[in-house]
Amino acid sequence: MRQLEDDFFTMFIPKQNRISVFSYLFKEGVLVVKKDTVSPTHPHIENCTNLEVMCLMKSLQSRGLVRITFSWQHNYCYLTTEGIEYLRTYLALPPEIVPAMKTAWSH
């Protein structure tokens, strides 16, 4: 009988890749990730694999920091208000900087 930990793995994502993904997500406010675990790169984020982006978004979703909608083999990830505050703290950004989706809403 196999143990549970044999089926579980932890993925190490380099800090620079995490910062790249979080910076893009904060700047745009939304992120699209194709359900493709073998793609060597994400089309909008340099030096990150699609799998790394998918795993980071899943982690943020489990903490309530992003909302994910799945359609046609793509995950559409939207920052929540809590997610904006978390990323602002993580990236050490001033309160004047807001995601692009927030500026579009305010007009």
Side-chain angles (χ1 to χ4, degrees), residues 51-98:
L51 181 61
E52 289 174 337
V53 177
M54 285 174 56
C55 289
L56 284 170
M57 292 303 106
K58 191 165 85 171
S59 173
L60 292 177
Q61 180 190 28
S62 72
R63 294 187 272 164
L65 303 176
V66 296
R67 181 175 51 87
I68 297 179
T69 303
F70 183 76
S71 178
W72 290 90
Q73 297 299 309
H74 287 77
N75 289 309
Y76 297 89
C77 309
Y78 309 93
L79 267 175
T80 62
T81 305
E82 295 83 12
I84 292 170
E85 293 305 317
Y86 172 78
L87 291 182
R88 183 175 283 133
T89 303
Y90 187 88
L91 299 169
L93 298 171
E96 300 83 40
I97 299 177
V98 294

Side-chain angles (χ1 to χ4, degrees), residues 29-30 67 78-81 84 99-107:
V30 295
R67 181 175 51 87
Y78 309 93
L79 267 175
T80 62
T81 305
I84 292 170
M101 69 169 190
K102 285 289 192 184
T103 57
W105 287 349
S106 63
H107 292 300

